[in-house]
Amino acid sequence: MKRLKQLFWIPDNKKISRPAAFLNLLVVTALWVALFWVCLGAIHVQLDFTFLGQFRIRIWDGFLVTLSLSLCSLILSLLLGILSAAGQSSPLLFIRFFCSVYVKFIRGTPLIMQIYLFFYIVGTAWGVNNRFTAGVLILSIFEGAYIAEIIRGSLLSLEASQLEAARAVGFTRWQTWRFVILPQMIARTLPALTGQFASIIKDSSLLSIIAVIELTQAMREISAVNFRLFECYLFLGILYLCLTLPISLISERLEKRFQYES
Amino acid sequence: MRVEFQNLSKQYENGPVILHPMDFADEIHSLAIIGPSGGGKSTLLRIIGGLIAPTTGKLWINGAEIEQNEASLQKYRKKIGFVFQQGGLFCHMNARDNIAVPLEQVHGYSRPAACTRAMELLERFGLKEDWKKKPAALSGGQKQRVAIARAIAARPGLLLLDEPTSALDPEYTTEVLDVIRELKEDGLHFIIVTHEMGFARHACSKVAFLCEGILMEYGESARLFGQPETKQLRQFLGKLLEWEL
């Protein structure tokens, strides 16, 4: 009886044993599946995933487009984030205001509105016709604002005593950046940035509204042909989880690894 | 080491006066700066250490004027060791690298030579086993001993300590003060801002009493503690003795 209790009950701060973790995850998964099963039964739907094989090339292509969209956006939004975080403490006032208005506008409005705005007005005006390029640009502008806040926050959390110590040991300005500021900032931002990458992947699904044929759009098109709406969207969710779950695990690990900071 | 300053003062823009204009000239072996909190002790030490610029006045070390521009201050700081009250160690580096990286980057040591020197100092201060630990894993006393090791690693002409024990428990205080006394016996010159009156009296040859931004008294430590001349110093010492055993 006591052993059984140990499998399900954990006092504060004790390490979770492997069998207990496995068993409990199994129970949770079974509960979720059962819940959906009951719901599907209530609306008399029988799931049939056999069509997936037939569309595997289109799904795979969509998957690759989502992946490359997200990777390109990650790099570009990191660049935008660094620039606008730096810009927000610029001595030139119009640069400071420009960056802070950018961050506030993007964070304060929904992505779907920005996609329409940038694609149909700004994009058309500047002749950005390639939908993939437009998608990367829009997504990067959106995520860049969030990354700017992550970076600005970690810059603000740098302790003044660390900078004073750097001066006291005789570091130059460049050496202070290289040996003190950057390593500490990377340690503080990396977990959050990894999490942001998972957001980029999920947010890229909204680009389907301007007909970028990424994973979500591919699935929408397939479901429009065979009307297997439930199966398509369930499978879509699983594919996104395949990308985002490992990333959030990495983010958790990084967080643990850099805990010495606090 | 001869420390000299003339008309030295500090006032932050639109803020109160931290240090009123003061003159000083003497050969420094071991000097304690004492006085009530907010009296300008740490500010004076930072000016001497080239970490902040005075509002007025000039500073000479061994007869050479310290110019208040970043390039010459940086050169000057290399010749001085500084220990802070707390938070002076780089929190992302282990104990050894806290000492070795500045040696390597600032003083031109090779990586192996810097590590050897760092380990030599850690061993001397009883921290050989802890070289891999980051500051967060060290006790307050251990942190300060690493900080002192880093400050003296490049064999500076002068060591400046800003209340190195005021954030420590009593048993750690003793262990840090013992290290400083030992260094003094080896011939290291230092200036310490401290609230440890026993240390100021017995381990420092000279004492400066700073109160409300004014250098009120300066002289042999035996004289200052034996026959304080100003009312402020008498009051200050009297208060400290109130709870003495």
Side-chain angles (χ1 to χ4, degrees):
Chain A
M1 192 65 193
K2 202 179 160 207
R3 287 193 68 175
L4 197 70
K5 190 185 164 193
Q6 275 178 347
L7 279 177
F8 291 99
W9 183 265
I10 190 126
D12 290 341
N13 296 327
K14 249 191 106 185
K15 222 178 157 227
I16 304 169
S17 71
R18 255 165 204 272
F22 180 75
L23 188 70
N24 283 280
L25 272 176
L26 202 72
V27 171
V28 171
T29 316
L31 280 173
W32 277 108
V33 171
L35 179 74
F36 272 99
W37 211 258
V38 170
C39 292
L40 286 168
I43 54 171
H44 308 293
V45 171
Q46 280 218 314
L47 293 180
D48 174 14
F49 286 98
T50 48
F51 69 92
L52 284 173
Q54 187 189 338
F55 293 102
R56 65 181 183 278
I57 293 169
R58 284 175 74 177
I59 296 172
W60 179 243
D61 283 349
F63 189 79
L64 288 183
V65 171
T66 286
L67 204 61
S68 40
L69 251 179
S70 309
L71 278 174
C72 293
S73 301
L74 177 72
I75 295 164
L76 195 60
S77 60
L78 200 59
L79 217 73
L80 277 174
I82 292 170
L83 283 178
S84 42
Q88 284 186 73
S89 48
S90 162
L92 273 174
L93 268 188
F94 78 92
I95 290 188
R96 191 185 295 189
F97 287 158
F98 179 86
C99 294
S100 106
V101 166
Y102 155 66
V103 170
K104 289 199 167 63
F105 172 76
I106 296 292
R107 283 164 55 95
T109 52
L111 176 56
I112 195 161
M113 167 261 171
Q114 292 167 25
I115 293 174
Y116 283 129
L117 178 81
F118 286 116
F119 186 69
Y120 289 110
I121 301 180
V122 184
T124 313
W126 289 81
V128 183
N129 292 321
N130 184 316
R131 281 163 198 270
F132 182 86
T133 316
V136 169
L137 285 175
I138 293 169
L139 202 55
S140 302
I141 291 171
F142 178 72
E143 305 292 341
Y146 288 84
I147 291 177
E149 284 301 274
I150 294 174
I151 292 172
R152 202 173 65 93
S154 84
L155 253 181
L156 285 177
S157 73
L158 269 183
E159 281 168 45
S161 64
Q162 295 283 302
L163 302 180
E164 196 177 35
R167 274 151 47 84
V169 299
F171 279 160
T172 60
R173 191 184 280 257
W174 154 247
Q175 285 171 329
T176 304
W177 271 98
R178 163 77 182 73
F179 295 103
V180 182
I181 301 177
L182 279 180
Q184 295 197 8
M185 273 189 67
I186 289 171
R188 274 169 221 200
T189 50
L190 215 51
L193 282 180
T194 320
Q196 196 63 33
F197 185 46
S199 295
I200 293 180
I201 292 173
K202 287 182 293 169
D203 293 341
S204 72
S205 66
L206 270 175
L207 292 173
S208 58
I209 61 170
I210 54 165
V212 179
I213 311 193
E214 40 68 75
L215 192 54
T216 304
Q217 180 63 9
M219 278 305 198
R220 276 170 69 171
E221 286 176 6
I222 293 167
S223 69
V225 174
N226 63 8
F227 301 113
R228 291 259 167 225
L229 212 64
F230 297 116
E231 289 87 344
C232 280
Y233 280 97
L234 270 175
F235 189 62
L236 182 67
I238 291 168
L239 287 178
Y240 274 106
L241 277 177
C242 288
L243 288 173
T244 54
L245 266 186
I247 292 170
S248 58
L249 280 178
I250 292 171
S251 171
E252 267 173 36
R253 286 218 138 161
L254 288 173
E255 212 166 307
K256 268 193 198 140
R257 196 177 140 192
F258 290 123
Q259 245 172 5
Y260 67 83
E261 291 288 346
S262 50
Chain B
M1 187 170 254
R2 190 171 175 78
V3 176
E4 230 178 309
F5 45 81
Q6 259 179 24
N7 196 32
L8 196 80
S9 77
K10 181 73 192 176
Q11 177 177 21
Y12 289 102
E13 216 172 317
N14 301 323
V17 179
I18 313 285
L19 291 175
H20 292 279
M22 57 178 73
D23 300 330
F24 179 91
D26 202 1
E27 196 71 30
I28 302 279
H29 296 290
S30 51
L31 165 66
I33 304 178
I34 61 167
S37 298
K41 306 184 296 292
S42 292
T43 306
L44 179 60
L45 197 73
R46 279 173 167 72
I47 292 175
I48 297 174
L51 289 175
I52 53 178
T55 310
T56 65
K58 285 181 175 176
L59 174 73
W60 292 266
I61 301 289
N62 283 341
E65 189 185 337
I66 305 304
E67 300 200 23
Q68 299 294 329
N69 61 65
E70 192 53 31
S72 64
L73 281 177
Q74 210 174 305
K75 238 184 188 170
Y76 167 60
R77 285 185 212 122
K78 283 189 191 180
K79 298 183 211 151
I80 290 206
F82 210 111
V83 176
F84 296 93
Q85 185 178 346
Q86 56 182 338
L89 292 179
F90 300 125
C91 55
H92 60 293
M93 291 182 194
N94 64 30
R96 186 196 64 189
D97 284 349
N98 256 289
I99 304 169
V101 172
L103 280 180
E104 209 183 328
Q105 299 301 328
V106 178
H107 300 281
Y109 280 53
S110 68
R111 176 78 188 157
C115 289
T116 312
R117 173 77 177 140
M119 288 309 293
E120 183 188 303
L121 285 165
L122 287 173
E123 185 169 7
R124 173 170 178 191
F125 294 155
L127 293 160
K128 193 182 164 194
E129 310 295 318
D130 302 301
W131 71 270
K132 263 189 186 166
K133 287 187 184 161
K134 299 228 164 89
L138 296 170
S139 75
Q142 288 175 324
K143 269 189 248 185
Q144 288 304 60
R145 281 184 282 152
V146 176
I148 293 172
R150 182 176 74 187
I152 64 162
R155 300 181 175 85
L158 185 64
L159 177 65
L160 304 177
L161 305 113
D162 184 17
E163 300 192 28
T165 61
S166 56
L168 301 182
D169 290 338
E171 75 254 43
Y172 294 141
T173 299
T174 316
E175 97 189 17
V176 170
L177 293 179
D178 282 347
V179 164
I180 303 169
R181 188 183 52 198
E182 220 179 276
L183 290 170
K184 181 199 165 195
E185 282 159 9
D186 290 353
L188 186 79
H189 298 165
F190 69 87
I191 302 177
I192 184 170
V193 170
T194 186
H195 290 297
E196 297 297 326
M197 290 306 132
F199 185 80
R201 183 173 194 164
H202 301 296
C204 301
S205 54
K206 299 276 177 69
V207 172
F209 174 63
L210 207 60
C211 182
E212 289 164 10
I214 300 165
L215 183 58
M216 295 247 177
E217 280 196 50
Y218 172 73
E220 302 286 334
S221 52
R223 204 277 295 153
L224 255 86
F225 284 100
Q227 296 115 22
E229 280 169 1
T230 56
K231 192 181 84 190
Q232 285 88 343
L233 181 55
R234 276 196 297 275
Q235 272 177 354
F236 177 69
L237 293 174
K239 263 186 208 161
L240 291 178
L241 291 174
E242 195 180 326
W243 292 101
E244 202 88 322
L245 270 176

